[in-house]
Amino acid sequence: MANESNDPKYTYYEEVYKVFLNTVDSYDFAQMDDDELESVLYGYMDSGRLLFSTYIAKDFMDDDPENKRFNFKMTRVEIALLAQAMKLEWVREHLNSEELMRKAIGDRDFNTVQGYQYLDRLQTMEKQLSREITAQINRLEYSNPELYGEMK
């Protein structure tokens, strides 16, 4: 994935993907070929960046898929925050598949195999990530002197 000719004026998808992959444990990713992995990661990123739709400092929808980059440079905090939003999307996907499994095999059988504990952990993680992302976006915006001037 690494490209030696990356322009430092931009943030490349791979920079965000690496941070995201360091936050999740999933054997599914290791089993994918490069094209499939890139497609899945882009899907998480594309969904995750919607959380930034109200973010004033930068337009996270402003990207260049052909060159696999954003048309601006993100700070490390913004990269970490977008990776966290990707993780939220990953958690939601697992949460939905667990809920479908519970419905398919029935509540009693699902509880017997202790799937409910995993489902509870996913629900807790989803709520926590969502709150953290919203709070961090708010902190970033209110601490940006270009947007609001020096707050005293």
Side-chain angles (χ1 to χ4, degrees), residues 1-149:
M1 269 203 227
N3 182 354
E4 295 301 319
S5 64
N6 282 354
D7 189 328
K9 295 184 296 194
Y10 305 104
T11 297
Y12 288 81
Y13 297 162
E14 71 182 66
E15 296 173 66
V16 180
Y17 296 166
K18 285 178 185 177
V19 175
F20 164 72
L21 288 170
N22 284 329
T23 67
V24 296
D25 291 326
S26 177
Y27 295 108
D28 295 338
F29 295 137
Q31 297 172 353
M32 295 178 189
D33 65 37
D34 287 347
D35 290 338
E36 184 181 11
L37 178 61
E38 196 166 320
S39 175
V40 167
L41 292 175
Y42 182 82
Y44 290 140
M45 186 188 67
D46 194 39
S47 296
R49 68 184 171 169
L50 293 175
L51 293 172
F52 294 85
S53 63
T54 61
Y55 186 58
I56 299 168
K58 294 177 182 152
D59 179 4
F60 278 73
M61 300 308 282
D62 182 15
D63 68 335
D64 180 356
E66 187 176 316
N67 290 307
K68 300 175 185 174
R69 70 182 188 202
F70 291 89
N71 291 321
F72 57 90
K73 185 70 177 172
M74 287 185 213
T75 65
R76 278 192 248 145
V77 170
E78 289 167 336
I79 290 171
L81 196 53
L82 182 53
Q84 194 173 26
M86 289 175 68
K87 184 174 181 177
L88 178 59
E89 294 306 314
W90 178 79
V91 166
R92 285 177 174 162
E93 180 181 275
H94 283 78
L95 184 60
N96 290 337
S97 63
E98 285 296 313
E99 287 175 345
L100 288 173
M101 183 186 301
R102 185 189 69 199
K103 289 176 184 171
I105 65 175
D107 284 338
R108 194 180 79 201
D109 292 335
F110 188 78
N111 290 342
T112 302
V113 295
Q114 299 202 0
Y116 70 93
Q117 290 176 345
Y118 182 60
L119 193 58
D120 283 346
R121 283 196 304 267
L122 285 173
Q123 288 170 333
T124 300
M125 188 183 300
E126 178 191 28
K127 289 175 189 168
Q128 180 181 351
L129 280 169
S130 186
R131 280 193 306 265
E132 287 174 9
I133 292 166
T134 301
Q136 185 66 18
I137 287 173
N138 289 337
R139 267 192 235 99
L140 281 174
E141 286 189 328
Y142 287 115
S143 67
N144 187 340
E146 293 175 12
L147 296 177
Y148 295 105

